[in-house]
Amino acid sequence: MATEETTPRRYRRLKRANDVSTVAVASSSSKRVRLSKEHNTYKDRVSSLPDEILSKEHDTYEDMIGSLPDEILILILDKLDARTTIITTILSKRWLNLPRRSHTCYDFAIDWTLPQVEATVDGSQGSLLKNLLVDNCKFRKIYLNSLPCLETFACRGLQPTKMFYGQRILPTDSLVLQFKGPEEWIEPIAVPSPLLHLKKLFIANVPINWDIFWIVALLDAAPVLESCHVHIDNRSEKTASWLDVQPQKRQCHCLKELIVVSFDAVGWKIGFVKHVMKASPRMRWVHLLDGHVVEDDERMLGGLEVVPCRRDWHELERSDVLDDLWDGICSPQLEIILE
Amino acid sequence: MAAATDDAGDSNEMIRVVSSDGEHFEMPEAAANLSLVLRHMIEDDCADAAGIPLAVVAAKPLAKIVDYCTKHAAKSSGLTIEEAEELKRFDAEFIEVDTDMLYDLLVAADFMGVEGLSKLAVQRTADLIKGKTPEQNRETFGIVNDFTPEEEEEICKENEWAFQITKPPSRLC
């Protein structure tokens, strides 16, 4: 096992928040099998069908499902969890090799077959695993080892889970963190190892009672970050508390855009935006808007989309906020959009 | 029945289709458009009074597909939450079919390029497979076990964890 367990430095007290789901998405989008991607001409399609379908006279005892084209059977397997998929290999020779053919996506519904508090996903040599979803996670710790093709990892659970990334994992250049679900204790910790390749960061459903400055810790750890989206969930009734540690005065040399969803004229939100703007000499685009985040089911993992909504600013309030934001900032190429 | 014209937005046209066993069906153009194959035929002006022949789709599944497309086309854009719920209920009832029909729908929906129906039928098939022993699945789908006992044993050994029959413990940790 190639995992180094570092004891993360606790830098602030526990906060109440919601279920954490951590999704690391690499740049290339997953290739999933699609239904009827390209339709040839009608004639081509008829002639490409297997004979048994064209001359179909099936009765109940015939292996109908086995005569389906591979592509359809693979689509069916894609809807099964890993365990059930493996069990189908014993049905008949027709089914034996199908799972090896397709899977870009595995659903490991194994939490009750392996009742442990730790899980190790070790791809060993040559693993082609691209997407990994741990749903209803009851593991306290998950180790990911030797997954050189891993593009997407998602973890949804009811208790905090510590993630350890071992060797041979594709350097992540895009990270999506979404905090949602039932109430839960979350421990924001200092990032133990720098996110050296991270270019895009999307943090969604940050509870309003969280101190937004813990995000600064993530920014500090990502020296080449170019784009940062933050969505604050205003539905939480708790008020914001202040950070009791000072963020490091590191600069975000590559950060070009900051998008804050659910922005309003609250002092700490303005303070956060100003902090990031000051630390980012190359910042060009700051977009502050109202709205929420929806999950894009089609993309299954890590697909989040911002749905903007118009805020009715009082003109004076709006210009006050803008004055506040610009105060002390002199950057000719910077544009601030406040919606 | 006139052929579909290229007039944009002209969706009141009825499109005729003919099953492999010679039965005629009609559906609104908007419904036919949910099938990629039919849409391309309509765009190529191949929809005429005689109807589009569907050589591999028999009358029974075709009737279901016409139903499905008509329902979904009528409620395609700007759904309210209630309408979306209703459509979900329709889908759930629609796909409560025996394995013969399910098989026909899988083939026909894939052939005709009705994506929503393909997904629905694929999901239904997966749901039928889930939670069953291999023997039960063979029975449901009429699959003949063509492995020798030795081969079977080897497959089990390869992925022992999956074949161990364990009950989920009531509580973890």
Side-chain angles (χ1 to χ4, degrees):
Chain A
M1 233 178 40
T3 311
E4 292 165 40
E5 183 167 340
T6 46
T7 312
R9 184 166 52 96
R10 269 180 72 165
Y11 81 107
R12 51 164 317 150
R13 65 202 155 82
L14 296 178
K15 289 287 178 187
R16 201 143 173 81
N18 294 340
D19 144 342
V20 66
S21 51
T22 312
V23 185
V25 189
S27 57
S28 49
S29 60
S30 63
K31 295 173 198 80
R32 301 189 62 212
V33 184
R34 290 231 162 246
L35 289 171
S36 314
K37 232 184 297 170
E38 276 176 23
H39 279 260
N40 311 325
T41 64
Y42 176 78
K43 227 172 154 186
D44 287 347
R45 290 181 64 78
V46 174
S47 58
S48 68
L49 284 170
D51 288 346
E52 56 267 39
I53 290 175
L54 289 171
S55 60
K56 175 173 57 82
E57 273 298 321
H58 57 248
D59 58 60
T60 341
Y61 298 105
E62 199 181 334
D63 183 0
M64 303 179 313
I65 196 165
S67 63
L68 288 171
D70 285 8
E71 297 74 53
I72 296 183
L73 290 180
I74 288 167
L75 286 173
I76 293 166
L77 294 181
D78 270 344
K79 297 283 178 198
L80 299 172
D81 57 88
R83 188 166 186 265
T84 310
T85 305
I86 286 171
I87 292 176
T88 64
T89 59
I90 206 167
L91 289 174
S92 73
K93 285 178 180 159
R94 177 80 182 90
W95 293 79
L96 183 59
N97 289 314
L98 289 172
R100 289 181 202 159
R101 291 260 313 279
S102 75
H103 273 127
T104 55
C105 180
Y106 255 125
D107 180 358
F108 283 77
I110 55 171
D111 57 344
W112 54 266
T113 57
L114 300 171
Q116 299 170 351
V117 289
E118 291 186 12
T120 301
V121 182
D122 197 329
S124 64
Q125 300 302 314
S127 162
L128 297 175
L129 191 70
K130 285 186 180 172
N131 300 311
L132 177 58
L133 162 72
V134 188
D135 211 352
N136 196 13
C137 178
K138 288 169 184 154
F139 300 122
R140 299 269 163 84
K141 292 176 181 174
I142 294 182
Y143 298 88
L144 298 176
N145 293 330
S146 293
L147 300 169
C149 296
L150 191 69
E151 291 174 358
T152 310
F153 174 75
C155 175
R156 303 185 186 126
L158 297 173
Q159 66 181 24
T161 302
K162 282 185 182 174
M163 303 296 317
F164 297 92
Y165 298 83
Q167 287 176 347
R168 287 177 58 81
I169 286 203
L170 203 69
T172 304
D173 69 0
S174 176
L175 179 69
V176 180
L177 297 159
Q178 186 177 22
F179 304 94
K180 45 173 269 190
E183 295 225 341
E184 172 82 11
W185 287 96
I186 298 287
E187 180 186 0
I189 52 162
V191 184
S193 60
L195 303 159
L196 289 176
H197 301 273
L198 195 66
K199 288 187 178 153
K200 283 185 180 173
L201 178 63
F202 194 142
I203 308 171
N205 298 81
V206 179
I208 196 165
N209 57 315
W210 265 34
D211 190 329
I212 202 166
F213 270 85
W214 74 268
I215 295 169
V216 172
L218 273 178
L219 297 183
D220 283 345
V224 300
L225 192 71
E226 289 174 6
S227 167
C228 177
H229 283 66
V230 178
H231 162 242
I232 299 144
D233 194 340
N234 282 332
R235 282 171 303 180
S236 168
E237 285 169 3
K238 295 187 178 74
T239 51
S241 56
W242 291 96
L243 190 74
D244 39 356
V245 292
Q246 283 299 310
Q248 296 169 50
K249 294 269 184 228
R250 258 192 219 155
Q251 295 232 309
C252 308
H253 286 289
C254 301
L255 194 60
K256 296 193 189 96
E257 59 170 13
L258 173 70
I259 290 93
V260 182
V261 185
S262 246
F263 182 86
D264 50 31
V266 178
W268 61 270
K269 291 184 188 174
I270 297 172
F272 168 73
V273 174
K274 279 188 75 84
H275 174 92
V276 178
M277 286 197 301
K278 278 184 183 158
S280 312
R282 295 229 168 81
M283 185 74 85
R284 293 185 158 266
W285 172 256
V286 175
H287 193 173
L288 310 168
L289 68 158
D290 199 13
H292 62 281
V293 166
V294 291
E295 280 149 85
D296 181 352
D297 285 343
E298 279 298 301
R299 289 180 51 201
M300 196 164 109
L301 301 172
L304 294 179
E305 210 182 309
V306 174
V307 180
C309 86
R310 268 205 95 67
R311 178 188 297 280
D312 289 322
W313 286 95
H314 189 281
E315 200 38 55
L316 279 176
E317 188 187 25
R318 192 169 176 280
S319 57
D320 276 355
V321 172
L322 277 171
D323 285 350
D324 258 3
L325 288 168
W326 279 112
D327 184 35
I329 308 274
C330 68
S331 177
Q333 84 276 21
L334 177 65
E335 196 176 344
I336 302 178
I337 309 283
L338 179 59
E339 283 187 290
Chain B
M1 198 62 43
T5 57
D6 285 339
D7 292 356
D10 183 5
S11 58
N12 294 327
E13 201 85 48
M14 292 301 276
I15 299 295
R16 276 190 171 199
V17 290
V18 186
S19 70
S20 59
D21 39 0
E23 253 188 75
H24 289 244
F25 293 89
E26 254 189 10
M27 63 183 134
E29 187 174 333
N33 276 335
L34 291 182
S35 153
L36 271 184
V37 165
L38 293 182
R39 199 174 81 208
H40 289 165
M41 301 277 286
I42 294 165
E43 281 164 5
D44 296 344
D45 274 346
C46 298
D48 54 25
I52 301 173
L54 293 165
V56 296
V57 188
K60 254 173 87 181
L62 189 54
K64 289 280 282 180
I65 292 176
V66 168
D67 255 17
Y68 176 91
C69 290
T70 308
K71 180 80 179 181
H72 276 256
K75 298 210 182 290
S76 58
S77 54
L79 286 181
T80 63
I81 294 171
E82 292 78 32
E83 282 169 332
E85 284 296 318
E86 196 214 315
L87 211 50
K88 241 188 190 169
R89 274 202 300 277
F90 169 85
D91 280 357
E93 269 174 44
F94 177 91
I95 206 65
E96 281 280 329
V97 293
D98 58 28
T99 48
D100 281 20
M101 177 57 90
L102 188 58
Y103 164 81
D104 286 341
L105 288 176
L106 280 167
V107 174
D110 184 60
F111 170 72
M112 291 173 68
V114 186
E115 200 184 336
L117 180 54
S118 281
K119 280 189 181 166
L120 187 62
V122 161
Q123 185 63 59
R124 162 78 175 172
T125 316
D127 291 344
L128 285 178
I129 294 173
K130 276 179 208 167
K132 297 218 179 85
T133 65
E135 205 35 67
Q136 286 168 326
N137 273 322
R138 286 187 194 119
E139 203 175 305
T140 309
F141 295 101
I143 299 167
V144 179
N145 181 3
D146 51 2
F147 290 117
T148 63
E150 294 77 37
E151 286 171 330
E152 219 172 300
E153 200 177 320
E154 200 175 312
I155 297 165
C156 285
K157 246 192 217 155
E158 224 175 276
N159 284 294
E160 223 175 338
W161 65 271
F163 289 99
Q164 275 167 1
I165 306 301
T166 44
K167 285 257 157 64
S170 53
R171 194 168 294 135
L172 276 180
C173 315

